[in-house]
Amino acid sequence: MSDITFTIDGREVSATPGMTVLEAARAAGITIPTLCHHEKLEPYGGCRLCIVELEARGSTRLVVSCVYPVEKNLVVKTRSEKVDRIRKMILQLLLAHAPDAFDLQDLARQYGADRDRFEKEPSFCVHCGLCVRYCNEVKKKNAIGFVDRGIRKEISFIPQIAAKECWSCKECFPLCPTEALQAAYVLAKALAFPGDGAKG
Amino acid sequence: MGSGGMIVMDEDTCMPDVARYFLDFLTDESCGKCVPCREGMRQMLKLLTNITQGKGKEGDIELLEELAETAQEAALCALGKSSPNPFLSTLKYFRDEYEAHVKEKRCPALSCKELIAYYIDPAKCNACTTCGKKCPTGAIIGGKNLIHMIDQEKCTKCGTCFEVCPPKFRAVTKISGVPVPPPLPEEARTIVRESKQK
Ligand code: SF4
Ligand code: SF4
Ligand code: SF4
Ligand code: SF4
Ligand code: FES
């Protein structure tokens, strides 16, 4: 397959067709912040942190690099005043849920995001979907899912499946950028499969 | 407003409250997948609710504008991108209304319950006693030939007195952003009727 060449931050990079802008940037050693992205999982496009600016015919537009496919002659900027401003706001929105998440704190310092910009929200979950997608795409168990929609959307273990699968797996746990998954698991275990309590 | 709906508006319609109403509706429509829409709306709705309840703070309007930009520019789908429209379109033409709510704790449309008080204009009250009989909380202090007054502590702002005061008197008013005038002194409260003087 012939390579596609384009520029990121003024540097010429090459990629193979079908790659995303994020993959091409990483291959070239260029950093773009991400939260919901994971190499093993399908692109999701939920957190919008990986947003970048595209220049085409004199105008610019914003796209999320983890889902945007590379194209010949693209002109990508990974930072701009607008990109930084939006990333800062997204971080502040996430920090309302997970003020102590390490990855978020690092990025907050970099983008000048204030962890107290918004009142703290009761749930730690930032809805990155990593746990849900990992269980679905890699483990193929669907032991955890999202329930409800909009601002009421939350993660939830499916008790019948989780009671059988999770104790011996726990593979999605380290993916969670916050303490939400652990908390949800402890809660689900106590409520739905108390028999496991003695074991752990 | 970007949601295909139509509502009738007049000078009694409070624009920040209209924006809050539409946004509240949209929070159920959002799928909740992306941050600018789900979290942005969560915060915008909180800010607008606070503003309409007189709890708006300096800088809230600007913060709403920043959240609106984030949603417009970074949300995943058309619903999220247009979710700030009710706020942005009302702000564009009625910024002064937003500022009145935040800075003066005043609702110019006299519609936000937390920002208004019901007050009986002593010059207009004819002591017909209608409002006193209808007030569900017994907040109206009155009696025959006495100018009626509202006990603000007891008043739940249900608006009944405002509705029932006969159009020929129109003595019950709504006020906002100003303190309720003090009650009339006892001796000034009796209405002397000319017909009875003869
Ligand atoms: S621990 Fe449970 S939810 Fe997580 S991947 Fe394993 S089976 Fe799925
Ligand atoms: S529980 Fe953790 S991994 Fe799962 S969606 Fe929430 S923040 Fe992401
Ligand atoms: S607004 Fe309702 S509660 Fe208040 S004085 Fe009038 S009738 Fe009574
Ligand atoms: S209904 Fe109006 S005019 Fe009659 S007593 Fe009440 S306030 Fe006065
Ligand atoms: S990493 Fe691209 S949207 Fe989350």
Side-chain angles (χ1 to χ4, degrees):
Chain A
M1 245 190 286
S2 63
D3 275 6
I4 291 177
T5 57
F6 66 106
T7 66
I8 303 180
D9 294 342
R11 266 177 62 188
E12 186 151 300
V13 296
S14 61
T16 49
M19 273 172 105
T20 62
V21 169
L22 177 69
E23 285 165 338
R26 290 203 167 158
I30 297 167
T31 322
I32 299 173
T34 60
L35 179 75
C36 67
H37 175 79
H38 193 281
E39 311 87 85
K40 285 191 189 156
L41 306 176
E42 289 297 313
Y44 188 59
C47 73
R48 320 302 279 176
L49 264 183
C50 67
I51 201 159
V52 294
E53 210 167 270
L54 283 191
E55 269 175 45
R57 287 172 238 99
S59 67
T60 61
R61 68 194 179 98
L62 299 176
V63 299
V64 290
S65 59
C66 69
V67 293
Y68 201 83
V70 291
E71 281 165 26
K72 203 165 158 247
N73 300 333
L74 278 184
V75 179
V76 178
K77 272 165 77 182
T78 64
R79 307 268 312 238
S80 75
E81 214 180 293
K82 197 175 202 171
V83 164
D84 284 12
R85 191 164 67 232
I86 286 169
R87 285 193 191 143
K88 176 179 166 184
M89 183 52 86
I90 290 174
L91 287 167
Q92 293 177 149
L93 288 167
L94 296 171
L95 286 161
H97 289 273
D100 302 319
F102 295 120
D103 296 352
L104 293 180
Q105 286 181 340
D106 285 347
L107 287 170
R109 267 189 291 278
Q110 211 176 320
Y111 288 89
D114 174 1
R115 68 197 283 252
D116 299 319
R117 192 72 178 93
F118 299 102
E119 255 173 59
K120 293 291 155 288
E121 294 291 333
S123 155
F124 295 132
C125 179
V126 291
H127 304 76
C128 66
L130 287 171
C131 56
V132 174
R133 288 181 292 139
Y134 185 88
C135 192
N136 169 269
E137 294 173 28
V138 180
K139 282 302 277 195
K140 304 208 181 327
K141 298 289 187 208
N142 294 312
I144 186 162
F146 280 118
V147 291
D148 220 330
R149 48 196 280 130
I151 63 171
R152 277 171 281 280
K153 187 171 188 156
E154 291 304 340
I155 51 148
S156 176
F157 282 97
I158 317 300
Q160 302 85 329
I161 309 174
K164 281 209 299 283
E165 306 292 341
C166 297
W167 176 248
S168 58
C169 167
K170 293 192 175 169
E171 284 169 32
C172 64
F173 284 43
L175 302 187
C176 180
T178 74
E179 296 143 69
L181 190 51
Q182 193 68 42
Y185 182 68
V186 171
L187 185 72
K189 203 164 59 145
L191 291 179
F193 27 109
D196 285 355
K199 282 186 272 167
Chain B
M1 286 285 162
S3 56
M6 259 277 288
I7 60 162
V8 183
M9 304 206 208
D10 56 21
E11 72 278 4
D12 295 336
T13 312
C14 170
M15 292 303 156
D17 195 49
V18 165
R20 185 203 55 75
Y21 174 84
F22 274 96
L23 202 69
D24 191 27
F25 166 79
L26 284 172
T27 57
D28 284 331
E29 300 296 301
S30 162
C31 81
K33 177 170 172 177
C34 78
V35 175
C37 174
R38 183 191 67 245
E39 299 304 323
M41 264 197 226
R42 190 196 306 281
Q43 298 300 341
M44 286 186 83
L45 182 60
K46 271 199 203 173
L47 287 160
L48 287 170
T49 305
N50 281 345
I51 286 174
T52 55
Q53 292 179 348
K55 290 180 263 173
K57 292 191 296 288
E58 200 70 41
D60 278 2
I61 299 172
E62 292 72 17
L63 181 54
L64 278 163
E65 288 179 297
E66 283 179 53
L67 286 162
E69 186 203 24
T70 307
Q72 280 186 317
E73 296 285 351
L76 194 153
C77 76
L79 180 123
K81 285 182 197 292
S82 64
S83 64
N85 288 0
F87 164 68
L88 290 172
S89 48
T90 50
L91 183 74
K92 184 165 172 198
Y93 299 105
F94 304 97
R95 194 175 188 109
D96 52 335
E97 282 202 26
Y98 279 90
E99 283 171 354
H101 281 74
V102 173
K103 298 196 174 120
E104 303 164 43
K105 304 288 177 256
R106 177 172 67 86
C107 175
L110 299 172
S111 134
C112 292
K113 225 175 162 183
E114 279 83 353
L115 291 177
I116 60 164
Y118 286 88
Y119 171 66
I120 298 174
D121 183 346
K124 292 190 182 158
C125 177
N126 199 47
C128 72
T129 73
T130 309
C131 62
K133 285 183 198 131
K134 293 278 165 70
C135 173
T137 63
I140 295 178
I141 308 155
K144 220 177 154 205
N145 292 330
L146 284 179
I147 292 174
H148 287 47
M149 296 187 305
I150 296 176
D151 179 344
Q152 299 295 331
E153 300 287 309
K154 282 193 192 160
C155 173
T156 54
K157 302 181 191 177
C158 71
T160 304
C161 53
F162 185 81
E163 303 288 322
V164 300
C165 182
K168 59 180 179 226
F169 305 133
R170 251 187 238 299
V172 181
T173 59
K174 294 191 250 183
I175 57 178
S176 182
V178 290
V180 179
L184 284 182
E186 238 8 85
E187 62 279 11
R189 283 188 60 205
T190 310
I191 298 180
V192 183
R193 307 213 182 248
E194 300 203 352
S195 56
K196 289 186 183 149
Q197 270 183 316
K198 285 182 204 160

